[in-house]
Amino acid sequence: MSGVSTAADRAAERAEQRRADIVHAAFKVFTQRGYHATGIADIAGELGIGHGTFYRYFENKRDILVHVLADAAKRLLSVIDFDEPGDTDSLAEYRAQTERICHRLFTLFAESPELVRLLFVEGLAADPELTELTLGTHRAIAEGTALYLRNGVHKGFLPADLDVEVTAHALVGVIISCGLSLLTAADPVAERDRWIRAGTRVMFDGIAH
Amino acid sequence: MSGVSTAADRAAERAEQRRADIVHAAFKVFTQRGYHATGIADIAGELGIGHGTFYRYFENKRDILVHVLADAAKRLLSVIDFDEPGDTDSLAEYRAQTERICHRLFTLFAESPELVRLLFVEGLAADPELTELTLGTHRAIAEGTALYLRNGVHKGFLPADLDVEVTAHALVGVIISCGLSLLTAADPVAERDRWIRAGTRVMFDGIAH
Amino acid sequence: MSGVSTAADRAAERAEQRRADIVHAAFKVFTQRGYHATGIADIAGELGIGHGTFYRYFENKRDILVHVLADAAKRLLSVIDFDEPGDTDSLAEYRAQTERICHRLFTLFAESPELVRLLFVEGLAADPELTELTLGTHRAIAEGTALYLRNGVHKGFLPADLDVEVTAHALVGVIISCGLSLLTAADPVAERDRWIRAGTRVMFDGIAH
Amino acid sequence: MSGVSTAADRAAERAEQRRADIVHAAFKVFTQRGYHATGIADIAGELGIGHGTFYRYFENKRDILVHVLADAAKRLLSVIDFDEPGDTDSLAEYRAQTERICHRLFTLFAESPELVRLLFVEGLAADPELTELTLGTHRAIAEGTALYLRNGVHKGFLPADLDVEVTAHALVGVIISCGLSLLTAADPVAERDRWIRAGTRVMFDGIAH
DNA sequence: TATGAATGAGCTTTCATTCAT
DNA sequence: TATGAATGAAAGCTCATTCAT
């Protein structure tokens, strides 16, 4: 609050900024060349800093990937968490809400395929331990999704015997598949809209209606 | 038919057997340690052969992965292709068929999580080119799935305006998510059954019914 | 002489023929790709035989090179030894003889640059020991040359204080340089004739006349 | 001039020094064991540095050989270029000059047989491309020699119809042969003197005088 | 704090040689 | 006798990480 130790504060601030810069640069090169094909020198080169400097901010190559993944997961989750599970009181409201969320989410996928690449591709296979971590992120998304389902069950507009956990996970599968599809889509925006429509349709109506 | 050139035949047979052995061993170590953490020496060691021998049968490390992936994809696809898309004439029949397919598929996942690991994890991120190849396998599964949907649309028990391609892809997402879930499931068989039930339910009825 | 053990004789003959074939094939590939870049498989492949067969006729890779070098040296020396050192009784006769020898020798170089490559390039640097062996061949040529010079000194048409050994060696240097020049000559025959003329001229008259 | 950026200067200087050290070490081991028998580890070991360090200064094994050869060629050529072709106006002066050059050159050979080994043996056969490069060095020596001959023709103390190019090349052959001879000479200095005498004699007088 | 020179573990790959068939 | 499958020593090279400056 006070002006005391401002110099130290500024230093800490600059350090924080540099950490963020490095995470950003690593995100870029990891998604471009892939985690294993990327060298620390590539990350440092992207920023124009010495690669020794990297080690003043991160433990090692794996460490930066963990941070990049966490950052990416946070970005993705913020898109889902933007809405409030408890806000909806009817199926129609929930469906509208779902469409909004899918729109935001799939727009994010269409606009930053790097994020998809990182969370659904690179992070998944960097090493066995990170597979677990990334699957944890998937689980976190599933849990976020489950909150909405539970609200519906609680409010009565979703059936009481819905297997909330597995269903939520299945929906995450749809999200993953959408992300991977947009990765190679010729027209990502058009593809995104097809996914929003077809995705919410199968989710709410099933394929038969 | 005749006994002529039996020696050469036997040699070719043994070579083919050895190739299969190497693919099998590579499958095992790739799924255990991950592609990048695996050395050729690990594959050779698994078989108790000299690592120079490996290079008599495969070009290089990438080559064996491609073969392992192809083998895994074939195994997975054969489970789906086992049924005949045109066999069903009503929604009820299709639903029963779907349950059978899911049962076989998810049983495969539960019994050989390595296959899941390979097709949905390792193969996806070994290198950018292999990501494409693996996404191609996903597309192949989606196309297999689409055949069933198209049969339903054609027969009239599925709505004419169903977005078959995207819906099929979405279902592949469910399959992927199921595979990944079973990877860490405490009781894979029980989990498998939940996925069969919840999966077919959301697929046919949507979440609302 | 008798017909006894003809079968064994024929076998030995065939073996000898095959040794010669292998030497010939090795000569070809060594001069094309260089000794170190050549594999045993290349030699065997050139002959269409299994590479295991190679080892039934030669100890190892170095062994075949020694034989190839010996064969090449023999061919080169036979061109020099074709004449009789004692045949000439005057400077004019010796000069005519030298021109004949040079003609034969340089024609050999022009026609089979591979022989040059082998004796003055590959053999020289295959390994330290073979350098000695090849320098021995050079010395053998020098000794052959020295015989002619000694005849001249003995007959009195060359000065008594001529340093026969070193001069002979110097002439070998001219031969080597001619060989290497023809290796990259655009018109080897024309170049050959220039070397015969200029070479005998400097040898007999020095540069000043 | 100023003290500015002295640190960077010193770094560059040290780097240059290290490059020179590596060239020097490589020169030594290449001439001892031969190019192909030498490993990068041998070069690094000679200097007591890690072999990874080698790759900070040179692209690969071939790269260092090229540099070693260039360095050796420069040293040899500097001995020839020390004199001025145009300095002599009579045959006697040219002969004296030639003797001086031969003295310096053959002394270099006697004192550093490694240089001979490198330029006339190793460099010649390391690989086909380097054969060309080394023959290029021989051509450069021939061209240097040709300058002297042309001076004599121009001044009139050498015959107008002298085939300068081929004669120069022939003299290079004598130089090569001298170098190779000194390689195995029991008493290199005595041998050197014989070559100076016999070499200049045959060059200027031919064998007959 | 920033740097990049130095390091060496560890990898992929080659190929001369052996030997069972 | 002819073969080629099997082998593993050995080499070149990369790159994450350390640390003196």
Side-chain angles (χ1 to χ4, degrees):
Chain A
M1 296 286 172
S2 75
V4 178
S5 79
T6 321
D9 285 358
R10 257 199 309 252
E13 214 173 282
R14 251 187 305 133
E16 210 45 57
Q17 180 57 45
R18 179 146 276 193
R19 281 181 69 88
D21 289 346
I22 294 174
V23 167
H24 197 241
F27 173 81
K28 187 171 169 190
V29 290
F30 281 162
T31 51
Q32 274 172 357
R33 311 175 201 198
Y35 173 69
H36 281 106
T38 296
I40 297 299
D42 295 320
I43 300 173
E46 180 73 24
L47 282 172
I49 65 173
H51 65 274
T53 306
F54 169 90
Y55 285 92
R56 301 197 63 80
Y57 294 90
F58 294 93
E59 285 284 311
N60 50 37
K61 193 180 168 184
R62 203 173 168 286
D63 186 31
I64 181 71
L65 178 57
V66 171
H67 280 85
V68 170
L69 284 172
D71 184 68
K74 211 180 75 186
R75 271 200 279 163
L76 190 145
L77 285 168
S78 78
V79 163
I80 297 177
D81 295 346
F82 188 80
D83 262 84
E84 198 51 57
D87 274 0
T88 58
D89 295 303
S90 70
L91 191 61
E93 281 176 28
Y94 179 36
R95 186 168 192 151
Q97 184 188 47
T98 298
E99 263 162 24
R100 281 200 311 275
I101 293 177
C102 281
H103 193 277
R104 283 203 306 272
L105 198 54
F106 298 175
T107 300
L108 178 68
F109 290 171
E111 284 175 353
S112 24
E114 307 87 20
L115 199 138
V116 172
R117 185 144 236 136
L118 202 69
L119 287 176
F120 302 148
V121 177
E122 290 303 327
L124 210 46
D127 76 60
E129 240 173 281
L130 281 179
T131 302
E132 296 318 308
L133 192 140
T134 301
L135 289 180
T137 299
H138 295 191
R139 264 191 296 273
I141 305 174
E143 251 136 61
T145 307
L147 291 179
Y148 291 89
L149 295 179
R150 271 196 213 99
N151 173 63
V153 172
H154 183 68
K155 298 267 176 71
F157 61 78
L158 288 184
D161 65 343
L162 187 71
D163 188 334
V164 171
E165 284 77 30
V166 170
T167 304
H169 235 115
L171 295 176
V172 171
V174 176
I175 291 171
I176 292 175
S177 232
C178 172
L180 295 176
S181 276
L182 295 185
L183 224 42
T184 55
D187 181 349
V189 172
E191 191 77 0
R192 174 201 67 183
D193 291 336
R194 283 181 72 185
W195 274 88
I196 295 172
R197 237 171 296 128
T200 48
R201 183 177 181 175
V202 72
M203 172 177 168
F204 282 89
D205 306 326
I207 57 171
H209 305 96
Chain B
M1 293 284 174
S2 75
V4 178
S5 80
T6 318
D9 285 358
R10 251 197 316 248
E13 215 172 281
R14 243 186 317 135
E16 210 46 57
Q17 181 55 47
R18 181 141 274 194
R19 280 182 70 87
D21 288 348
I22 295 174
V23 167
H24 198 239
F27 174 80
K28 187 170 170 191
V29 289
F30 281 161
T31 51
Q32 273 171 359
R33 310 176 201 199
Y35 173 70
H36 280 107
T38 296
I40 297 300
D42 297 320
I43 300 173
E46 179 71 26
L47 283 171
I49 64 174
H51 64 276
T53 305
F54 169 89
Y55 286 95
R56 292 190 57 76
Y57 294 91
F58 294 92
E59 286 283 312
N60 50 41
K61 194 180 164 184
R62 205 174 169 283
D63 187 31
I64 182 69
L65 178 56
V66 170
H67 279 86
V68 169
L69 284 173
D71 185 68
K74 213 180 74 183
R75 272 199 281 163
L76 189 146
L77 284 169
S78 78
V79 163
I80 296 177
D81 294 345
F82 189 80
D83 261 86
E84 196 53 55
D87 275 359
T88 57
D89 295 302
S90 70
L91 192 61
E93 281 174 32
Y94 179 37
R95 187 167 190 149
Q97 186 188 45
T98 298
E99 262 162 23
R100 283 201 309 276
I101 294 176
C102 282
H103 192 275
R104 284 203 305 274
L105 199 55
F106 297 175
T107 299
L108 178 69
F109 290 170
E111 284 175 353
S112 25
E114 307 88 18
L115 199 139
V116 172
R117 186 146 232 134
L118 202 69
L119 288 175
F120 302 149
V121 177
E122 290 303 327
L124 212 45
D127 75 60
E129 238 174 284
L130 282 179
T131 302
E132 295 317 307
L133 193 140
T134 301
L135 290 180
T137 298
H138 295 190
R139 264 191 296 271
I141 305 174
E143 252 138 61
T145 306
L147 290 179
Y148 291 90
L149 295 180
R150 271 197 213 97
N151 172 64
V153 171
H154 183 68
K155 299 267 175 71
F157 61 77
L158 288 184
D161 66 342
L162 188 71
D163 187 335
V164 171
E165 285 76 31
V166 170
T167 304
H169 236 114
L171 294 176
V172 171
V174 176
I175 291 171
I176 293 175
S177 233
C178 171
L180 295 176
S181 275
L182 295 185
L183 224 42
T184 55
D187 181 347
V189 172
E191 190 76 0
R192 173 200 68 182
D193 292 335
R194 284 181 72 187
W195 273 89
I196 295 171
R197 236 172 298 127
T200 49
R201 182 177 183 178
V202 70
M203 173 177 166
F204 281 89
D205 306 326
I207 57 171
H209 304 94
Chain C
M1 294 286 173
S2 76
V4 178
S5 79
T6 321
D9 285 358
R10 258 202 306 252
E13 213 173 282
R14 250 188 307 133
E16 209 46 56
Q17 180 57 45
R18 179 146 275 195
R19 281 181 68 86
D21 288 347
I22 294 174
V23 167
H24 196 240
F27 174 81
K28 188 170 168 189
V29 290
F30 281 163
T31 52
Q32 273 171 358
R33 311 174 202 201
Y35 173 70
H36 281 106
T38 296
I40 298 299
D42 295 320
I43 301 173
E46 179 73 25
L47 283 171
I49 64 173
H51 65 273
T53 307
F54 170 89
Y55 285 93
R56 302 196 62 78
Y57 294 90
F58 294 93
E59 285 283 311
N60 51 38
K61 193 180 168 184
R62 205 174 166 282
D63 186 30
I64 181 69
L65 178 57
V66 170
H67 280 85
V68 169
L69 283 171
D71 184 69
K74 212 180 74 183
R75 272 200 279 163
L76 188 146
L77 285 168
S78 79
V79 163
I80 296 177
D81 293 347
F82 188 79
D83 263 85
E84 197 51 57
D87 275 358
T88 57
D89 295 306
S90 70
L91 192 61
E93 282 175 29
Y94 178 38
R95 186 167 192 152
Q97 186 188 45
T98 298
E99 263 162 22
R100 281 200 311 276
I101 294 176
C102 282
H103 192 275
R104 284 202 305 273
L105 198 54
F106 297 175
T107 299
L108 178 69
F109 289 170
E111 284 175 351
S112 25
E114 306 87 21
L115 199 137
V116 171
R117 187 143 234 138
L118 201 70
L119 288 175
F120 302 148
V121 177
E122 290 303 328
L124 211 45
D127 75 60
E129 241 173 280
L130 280 179
T131 302
E132 295 318 307
L133 192 141
T134 301
L135 290 180
T137 299
H138 294 191
R139 264 192 296 274
I141 305 173
E143 252 138 59
T145 308
L147 291 178
Y148 291 90
L149 294 179
R150 272 197 210 95
N151 173 64
V153 172
H154 183 68
K155 299 269 175 72
F157 62 78
L158 288 184
D161 65 341
L162 188 71
D163 187 335
V164 170
E165 285 75 31
V166 170
T167 304
H169 236 116
L171 294 176
V172 171
V174 176
I175 291 171
I176 292 175
S177 232
C178 172
L180 295 177
S181 276
L182 294 186
L183 225 44
T184 54
D187 180 350
V189 172
E191 191 76 359
R192 174 200 68 183
D193 292 334
R194 284 180 73 184
W195 274 89
I196 295 172
R197 237 172 296 129
T200 49
R201 182 177 183 177
V202 70
M203 172 177 168
F204 282 90
D205 306 327
I207 56 168
H209 303 96
Chain D
M1 291 289 173
S2 76
V4 178
S5 78
T6 318
D9 286 358
R10 250 198 316 250
E13 215 172 280
R14 246 187 313 136
E16 211 45 58
Q17 181 57 46
R18 181 141 271 196
R19 281 182 70 88
D21 289 347
I22 294 174
V23 168
H24 198 239
F27 175 81
K28 187 171 169 189
V29 290
F30 281 161
T31 52
Q32 274 171 356
R33 309 175 201 198
Y35 173 69
H36 280 106
T38 297
I40 297 300
D42 297 319
I43 301 173
E46 179 73 25
L47 283 171
I49 64 174
H51 65 276
T53 305
F54 169 89
Y55 286 94
R56 291 190 56 76
Y57 294 90
F58 294 93
E59 286 283 310
N60 51 38
K61 194 180 165 184
R62 203 173 169 282
D63 186 31
I64 182 72
L65 178 56
V66 170
H67 279 86
V68 169
L69 283 172
D71 184 68
K74 212 181 76 183
R75 273 199 279 162
L76 189 146
L77 285 168
S78 78
V79 163
I80 295 177
D81 293 347
F82 188 78
D83 262 85
E84 197 50 57
D87 275 358
T88 57
D89 296 303
S90 70
L91 192 60
E93 282 175 28
Y94 178 36
R95 185 166 191 151
Q97 186 189 44
T98 299
E99 263 161 23
R100 283 200 310 275
I101 293 175
C102 282
H103 192 275
R104 284 203 305 272
L105 199 54
F106 298 175
T107 299
L108 178 68
F109 290 171
E111 285 175 351
S112 20
E114 307 88 19
L115 199 139
V116 172
R117 186 145 233 136
L118 202 70
L119 288 175
F120 302 149
V121 177
E122 290 304 326
L124 212 45
D127 77 61
E129 237 173 285
L130 281 179
T131 303
E132 295 317 307
L133 193 140
T134 301
L135 290 180
T137 299
H138 295 190
R139 266 192 293 275
I141 306 174
E143 251 137 61
T145 308
L147 291 178
Y148 291 90
L149 294 179
R150 270 194 213 101
N151 173 63
V153 171
H154 183 69
K155 299 268 177 73
F157 62 78
L158 288 183
D161 65 343
L162 188 72
D163 187 335
V164 170
E165 284 77 30
V166 170
T167 303
H169 236 114
L171 294 176
V172 171
V174 176
I175 291 171
I176 292 175
S177 233
C178 171
L180 295 176
S181 276
L182 294 185
L183 224 43
T184 55
D187 181 350
V189 172
E191 191 77 358
R192 174 201 66 183
D193 291 336
R194 282 180 73 186
W195 274 89
I196 295 172
R197 238 173 294 126
T200 49
R201 183 178 181 175
V202 71
M203 172 176 167
F204 281 89
D205 304 328
I207 58 170
H209 303 95

